[in-house]
Amino acid sequence: MYDVIIIGAGVSGAAAARELTRYKLSVCVLEKEEDVCCGTTKANSAIVHAGYDAAHGSLMAKLNVEGNQMMEALSKELDFPFTRNGSLVVCTDETQMEGLKNLYENGVKNGVEGLRIIDRDELKQMEPNIADEAVAALYAPTGGIVCPFGLNIALAENAAANGAEFFFDTKVEQIRPVENGYELSTNKGTYTGRCVVNAAGVCADLIHNMVSEKKMKIIPRKGEYFLLDKSAGSHVSHTIFALPGKYGKGVLVSPTVHGNLLVGPTATDIENKEGVNTTRAGLDEVSEKSRITVKDLPLRQVITSFAGLRAHEEGHEFIIEEVKDAPGFIDCAGIESPGLSSGPAIGVMVASIVKEKLNAQENPAFNGTRKGILNPETLSLEERNELIRKNPAYGNIICRCEMISEGEILDAIRRPLGARSLDGVKRRTRAGMGRCQAGFCSPRTMEILARELNSPMFDITKSGGGSQIVVGTNKDRI
Amino acid sequence: MKAYDIVIIGGGPAGLAAAASAKRNGTDSILILERDRELGGILNQCIHNGFGLHTFKEELTGPEYAGRFIDQVKELGIEYRLNTMVMDISHEKVVTAMNREEGMFRIQAKAVILAMGCRERSRGALNIPGYRPAGIFSAGTAQRLVNMEGYMPGRKVVILGSGDIGLIMARRMTLEGAEVKVVAELMPYSGGLKRNIVQCLDDFGIPLKLSHTVVEIRGKERVEGITLAQVDERGKPIPGTEEDYECDTLLLSVGLIPENELSRGMGVEMNPVTSGPSVNESLETSLEGVFACGNVLHVHDLVDFVSEEAAAAGRNAANYVQGKRQKDSKKTVHLKPENGVRYTVPVTICPERMDETQIVRFRVGNVYKNCYIGVYLNDERILHKKRQVMAPGEMEEVKLEREKLLAVKDLETITIRIEEE
């Protein structure tokens, strides 16, 4: 019997797992997909919100501001990309200035530091490509951008290094209370735990409803995005939001930590919890709305589009608590925006609830630091040559667009919770994430995966499950 | 730092022909840098025949065609490095490259020949809505998997785009045992060569649907089907024309993009129409001593013309490093593409420096039947060439004679246009 079973290896589940390994607790994480970071954490705005948006007094507001404050130190401890680039909420209509002031005041009450409203001239100076209609903006210097994969994978790897066990392709089908805990039936056998943490993202309601009479409903809220080539990455330097106004909510335009430009999202409530397809209407809406705040956006430089699902709960609030009629069962549900920003703080909060419950002692062996995959671009020519001399795989470029070497891909596969699919490699190294979108490198990455995992090419998948890439050999059906 | 007279970026058909030509024109210090494990570039995966009709007056496969140039390079004793990635080229022609054995190293070049070729447009650039399952390949990626590695990317195939690689792959997939259901083309005309439509689609009974596009991709893990729809004159899908196809594979042959990241990095001026460098009659870019040829300059249909163009670039580079070339052009004439002509290569000509004849290559923006190509020196028409059919998928060319250009006093522009009569 585990002390704690966490359902879901997204940012919340991984953060909770890491925080729980600070205590003398046996922890396991059950994930229905083949890898960490396969749900809501995979496809979102990659933003660390400053925290002016969430209503004052809400848990969202509290955890957002806390998460934002934790992010920088955490990015150094766990070695993932984070940049505090600052954000701007742009007002394009004089009559909406009241809205901007309200946002400012809410932010001050939430404890967001450094907020100020800037005029058109200052805005233009900060962002030359801002729309001509812009009249003012709320500037939040603490706003940031993060690699969501990097954050999620780092948290999970560090949790694993500190003893948390991860089980992938493991879908929880039933939960029943047993003496001193719960028994979870999955497609891969049963697991028992004293406490259960429900961090199942858009499926958190299904999991919650297995144990509680007070039913929950999580609505998948689809957001569609464009990702632009790095050549467009400096079109803006801050994260640009539109002040909700007569055009509706608007979309954000933001650089990413890797130098691309991200535009989106839409917000459409759907039924299908796996409905991550993009739609014509959604993509059209993104291109339409992107023009509200930013001019001359080079949408011809789009390299991919994608959709993600936010786990929207009707009350629009994070639900992080022990379920009243299910002792030892802790919900971590309704984690929609600013969920990524709040992730580190969510982990702390979940851990503190469990720790109280189980009266856990501190784990003196906990080591909170983790080294990420080496990025050779950060090395000098001499250091890089030394690296290649020791390990020639670093001299062999596999992904031409992002200049990712075989050495980095091998590291991604061989490390704890290593990549087992093309997407797994992509999320860890960026191989295949560039302008050719894996056209060139996928056969080569497949070869490396097949070699390292000792499996035939037919078993190599794009993203686990039934996503095999090649289906046979030439003329095998003739 | 090592130094070479000419460093050639890319060992595909353009790089090979440029190297051989530079050597024959008297430059010995040449280095080819190739990122793949062998010379020959994309030709190595083009195992169909039809290459070399112009150059060798016979039909060769891609690897055979490449082999002839690889032999020349080896016979001429030209140095090359395989598995070597060029990371950066500075404005001062310092090439930074990397491989497993030598690590990262720098080379000073007197002249650089850009011959990096092109890459395929991806699904992302098209904004096709739907899921992102396995089973969506660019045609060239599928070609590599099948022709070089022997793996079938799928069993039931729909192809979007009628570029040559897509057409060739329709035939290849059929021969290897897959069912190719349809080739859809957004434009009202094919983007590929006429001969490929006949030999790769018609001969196998594969339908080509012009003015059609993919409006939906189904399947979360692997492609399960796609929906095609007809498009209007502006390329917008027409509601009510949707047709579902059950398939496990979608191949994309929707255009090639010259791969000019290195060129941009070194500050070469680009032509927005071709996405290649703007070059003069010597195929020299805006940076002195930096030349470009092949698909990195503009996407070609036939490798024979790549070889021819590259040979000119190699010769010009050799002349440049040997100081045989008139440095500053006294007078530069601009070529003006007009009325249906989308671009020209080159974009400027210095008549005093040009060869006896100069080939100007271009593409048209639409299908033209029974029209004329008109060439004007300033306002005077010097050429009026009848063409039965011109299409965007087939590159056109005209020859200019040095003597005629020199004969015009105050020659400023050469206009090339499509004319109805």
Side-chain angles (χ1 to χ4, degrees):
Chain A
M1 184 180 246
Y2 288 96
D3 290 324
V4 196
I5 298 176
I6 298 167
I7 304 169
V11 71
S12 303
R18 175 176 183 263
E19 288 301 322
L20 283 164
T21 55
R22 289 182 192 272
Y23 304 99
K24 287 183 176 165
L25 294 169
S26 58
V27 179
C28 85
V29 182
L30 306 182
E31 169 57 52
K32 72 177 166 68
E33 301 296 330
E34 55 115 21
D35 195 0
V36 301
C37 198
C38 281
T40 299
T41 310
K42 171 172 83 168
N44 53 67
S45 306
I47 295 302
V48 177
H49 291 274
Y52 46 74
D53 199 26
H56 179 59
S58 66
L59 186 59
M60 263 184 187
K62 177 177 177 287
L63 296 182
N64 182 353
V65 174
E66 285 176 15
N68 180 301
Q69 287 164 354
M70 291 167 75
M71 202 62 82
E72 193 157 345
L74 194 65
S75 73
K76 295 200 171 92
E77 246 182 320
L78 295 179
D79 195 16
F80 63 84
F82 165 69
T83 310
R84 221 177 263 293
N85 65 323
S87 65
L88 292 162
V89 184
V90 175
C91 174
T92 51
D93 177 356
E94 292 280 3
T95 65
Q96 304 283 322
M97 283 300 287
E98 199 60 31
L100 208 60
K101 281 174 195 145
N102 291 342
L103 210 50
Y104 167 80
E105 276 155 22
N106 190 60
V108 171
K109 277 193 265 176
N110 285 351
V112 181
E113 285 168 19
L115 284 179
R116 70 197 166 83
I117 289 178
I118 60 171
D119 64 13
R120 185 202 309 256
D121 293 343
E122 191 174 352
L123 180 57
K124 274 268 168 201
Q125 213 157 34
M126 284 168 82
E127 290 292 353
N129 285 322
I130 212 78
D132 294 331
E133 294 78 16
V135 291
L138 174 64
Y139 173 47
T142 58
I145 48 181
V146 67
C147 173
F149 319 135
L151 168 61
N152 195 160
I153 290 165
L155 287 166
E157 277 183 17
N158 189 232
N162 284 300
E165 293 174 59
F166 284 74
F167 300 98
F168 296 104
D169 295 315
T170 304
K171 185 178 180 183
V172 175
E173 287 161 346
Q174 257 187 347
I175 305 176
R176 68 182 187 96
V178 291
E179 206 187 333
N180 296 327
Y182 293 89
E183 184 184 274
L184 285 67
S185 313
T186 76
N187 57 328
K188 297 257 178 97
T190 54
Y191 295 80
T192 53
R194 292 164 72 198
C195 277
V196 173
V197 175
N198 169 19
V202 289
C203 296
D205 54 347
L206 307 180
I207 299 294
H208 168 98
N209 295 344
M210 288 178 191
V211 299
S212 175
E213 280 311 306
K214 191 169 176 286
K215 299 302 175 194
M216 177 193 281
K217 185 160 173 59
I218 301 285
I219 300 154
R221 181 167 285 178
K222 185 186 288 192
E224 301 185 40
Y225 293 89
F226 286 130
L227 186 70
L228 275 65
D229 190 271
K230 285 180 175 174
S231 59
S234 54
H235 198 73
V236 296
S237 57
H238 301 79
T239 301
I240 312 293
F241 297 92
L243 181 71
K246 60 183 174 188
Y247 302 105
K249 194 155 178 285
V251 293
L252 69 83
V253 179
S254 179
T256 71
V257 283
H258 299 291
N260 297 84
L261 197 72
L262 188 64
V263 187
T266 52
T268 315
D269 291 350
I270 62 169
E271 285 296 319
N272 181 0
K273 288 183 188 288
E274 300 198 330
V276 290
N277 56 317
T278 56
T279 63
R280 181 79 278 147
L283 296 177
D284 286 348
E285 186 185 332
V286 175
S287 45
E288 189 71 27
K289 286 186 168 173
S290 65
R291 298 191 185 95
I292 297 175
T293 53
V294 175
K295 64 179 178 186
D296 305 328
L297 203 63
L299 286 177
R300 279 186 59 195
Q301 308 270 4
V302 169
I303 58 173
T304 191
S305 51
F306 62 90
L309 302 176
R310 291 92 123 182
H312 175 66
E313 201 275 334
E314 280 168 336
H316 186 58
E317 173 66 308
F318 294 158
I319 302 168
I320 303 173
E321 61 192 17
E322 185 174 17
V323 176
K324 301 245 162 24
D325 58 349
F329 187 99
I330 293 109
D331 271 334
C332 179
I335 312 298
E336 58 181 311
S337 177
L340 187 69
S341 322
S342 310
I346 290 173
V348 172
M349 183 171 171
V350 170
S352 77
I353 296 172
V354 174
K355 178 197 114 184
E356 288 292 307
K357 189 84 197 163
L358 297 179
N359 197 19
Q361 302 302 304
E362 267 191 38
N363 169 16
F366 177 79
N367 177 357
T369 58
R370 165 257 187 195
K371 204 76 204 111
I373 293 170
L374 175 70
N375 177 3
E377 276 179 25
T378 60
L379 304 178
S380 69
L381 187 75
E382 292 72 29
E383 290 168 328
R384 201 158 176 174
N385 277 331
E386 184 59 22
L387 176 70
I388 297 169
R389 206 177 53 73
K390 282 192 190 139
N391 185 350
Y394 282 98
N396 181 21
I397 293 289
I398 300 293
C399 167
R400 295 170 177 177
C401 302
E402 298 291 318
M403 295 283 188
I404 308 298
S405 70
E406 186 182 352
E408 292 152 86
I409 293 173
L410 289 174
D411 187 357
I413 299 169
R414 289 175 184 170
R415 58 177 42 228
L417 309 182
R420 291 177 301 159
S421 65
L422 281 187
D423 281 359
V425 169
K426 179 169 85 172
R427 283 191 293 271
R428 284 168 179 79
T429 65
R430 299 185 56 71
M433 210 175 272
R435 48 181 71 94
C436 93
Q437 289 284 296
F440 171 77
C441 67
S442 55
R444 287 157 174 89
T445 307
M446 283 166 69
E447 267 175 43
I448 298 173
L449 275 165
R451 197 175 70 216
E452 286 293 308
L453 303 176
N454 201 15
S455 50
M457 284 282 271
F458 313 108
D459 290 347
I460 303 303
T461 64
K462 178 173 183 285
S463 52
S467 66
Q468 284 78 9
I469 297 151
V470 294
V471 300
T473 52
N474 293 355
K475 297 194 172 67
D476 59 355
R477 296 264 174 100
I478 295 180
Chain B
M1 192 172 8
K2 279 201 171 179
Y4 287 85
D5 283 352
I6 302 178
V7 174
I8 299 172
I9 318 297
L16 293 169
S21 162
K23 178 88 182 187
R24 291 197 181 103
N25 282 281
T27 298
D28 286 326
S29 164
I30 302 171
L31 177 66
I32 305 173
L33 296 173
E34 167 56 43
R35 57 192 176 186
D36 221 321
R37 49 193 117 172
E38 53 203 340
L39 293 171
I42 211 71
L43 285 174
N44 290 327
Q45 68 181 53
C46 302
I47 62 172
H48 53 283
N49 66 352
F51 298 91
L53 280 168
H54 295 259
T55 313
F56 300 110
K57 310 293 175 223
E58 57 182 313
E59 274 199 81
L60 305 174
T61 65
E64 286 171 334
Y65 186 95
R68 300 224 173 165
F69 281 90
I70 294 170
D71 289 347
Q72 289 180 32
V73 161
K74 289 185 177 165
E75 279 160 21
L76 290 164
I78 295 167
E79 225 181 299
Y80 60 89
R81 294 265 209 303
L82 301 177
N83 297 306
T84 301
M85 188 78 184
V86 175
M87 313 293 285
D88 178 67
I89 311 170
S90 77
H91 199 265
E92 290 71 33
K93 306 192 193 83
V94 175
V95 179
T96 306
M98 187 169 89
N99 63 34
R100 293 172 67 101
E101 291 75 31
E102 294 160 283
M104 216 172 189
F105 54 94
R106 294 196 169 121
I107 297 163
Q108 176 70 61
K110 283 188 194 154
V112 171
I113 301 179
L114 303 170
M116 293 88 80
C118 58
R119 66 160 183 275
E120 298 177 279
R121 275 180 87 195
S122 71
R123 174 204 175 173
L126 304 178
N127 282 330
I128 306 170
Y131 286 92
R132 300 195 297 158
I136 305 170
F137 300 85
S138 60
T141 305
Q143 187 177 46
R144 185 189 162 92
L145 283 169
V146 175
N147 291 357
M148 299 193 74
E149 291 165 32
Y151 292 113
M152 288 291 279
R155 305 283 181 200
K156 293 178 188 169
V157 183
V158 170
I159 300 178
L160 175 62
S162 58
D164 288 312
I165 313 173
L167 301 175
I168 295 284
M169 280 311 289
R171 176 174 65 185
R172 174 58 52 197
M173 293 297 290
T174 308
L175 292 173
E176 300 299 346
E179 181 195 352
V180 178
K181 298 200 159 182
V182 64
V183 175
E185 167 60 56
L186 180 74
M187 304 306 285
Y189 47 82
S190 163
L193 295 172
K194 181 73 187 160
R195 73 170 196 215
N196 282 335
I197 292 172
V198 174
Q199 294 170 7
C200 300
L201 301 188
D202 298 353
D203 288 358
F204 294 89
I206 299 167
L208 171 63
K209 292 202 155 203
L210 298 173
S211 299
H212 276 72
T213 193
V214 175
V215 292
E216 207 201 337
I217 298 169
R218 288 182 297 281
K220 188 166 184 278
E221 296 183 328
R222 174 86 200 189
V223 174
E224 289 165 10
I226 60 105
T227 304
L228 284 189
Q230 205 180 326
V231 297
D232 62 20
E233 310 79 57
R234 293 173 310 140
K236 293 274 172 220
I238 302 169
T241 62
E242 296 86 357
E243 272 179 284
D244 291 345
Y245 286 84
E246 189 212 330
C247 60
D248 61 7
T249 305
L250 174 64
L251 297 190
L252 302 173
S253 178
V254 289
L256 299 168
I257 305 165
E259 202 153 20
N260 275 296
E261 281 65 40
L262 290 169
S263 327
R264 284 195 194 90
M266 70 189 300
V268 162
E269 204 175 285
M270 303 295 291
N271 180 342
V273 181
T274 55
S275 298
S278 296
V279 293
N280 63 21
E281 79 296 325
S282 307
L283 302 172
E284 184 185 35
T285 68
S286 60
L287 296 185
E288 194 187 291
V290 178
F291 300 82
C293 55
N295 283 348
V296 82
L297 177 56
H298 58 146
V299 177
H300 293 63
D301 314 318
L302 298 178
V303 70
D304 305 76
F305 296 149
V306 168
S307 304
E308 186 186 303
E309 186 177 272
R315 187 181 68 240
N316 292 329
N319 288 341
Y320 170 79
V321 297
Q322 293 166 45
K324 287 186 193 164
R325 192 165 141 282
Q326 195 181 311
K327 278 226 167 143
D328 270 305
S329 45
K330 284 193 192 116
K331 195 164 186 326
T332 296
V333 181
H334 288 267
L335 279 97
K336 202 164 129 202
E338 215 179 71
N339 201 38
V341 176
R342 293 188 59 228
Y343 71 86
T344 62
V345 169
V347 296
T348 59
I349 289 178
C350 171
E352 280 142 19
R353 199 163 60 182
M354 73 187 273
D355 294 334
E356 287 306 309
T357 59
Q358 168 87 41
I359 295 175
V360 176
R361 295 208 159 91
F362 60 93
R363 280 184 197 273
V364 294
N366 211 330
V367 176
Y368 294 92
K369 288 191 176 151
N370 295 314
C371 285
Y372 297 84
I373 299 169
V375 177
Y376 293 76
L377 301 184
N378 287 343
D379 293 332
E380 187 202 348
R381 187 160 77 190
I382 57 153
L383 186 80
H384 194 53
K385 185 165 94 170
K386 174 102 185 250
R387 299 279 287 123
Q388 274 188 329
V389 184
M390 285 182 281
E394 316 227 3
M395 195 182 277
E396 298 289 333
E397 64 173 53
V398 291
K399 283 199 177 76
L400 298 178
E401 289 163 37
R402 183 164 184 257
E403 231 168 81
K404 280 193 181 164
L405 267 59
L406 286 173
V408 180
K409 233 177 84 183
D410 299 327
L411 178 61
E412 273 175 10
T413 53
I414 302 172
T415 306
I416 302 182
R417 48 186 287 135
I418 305 304
E419 297 171 332
E420 278 183 18
E421 50 188 43

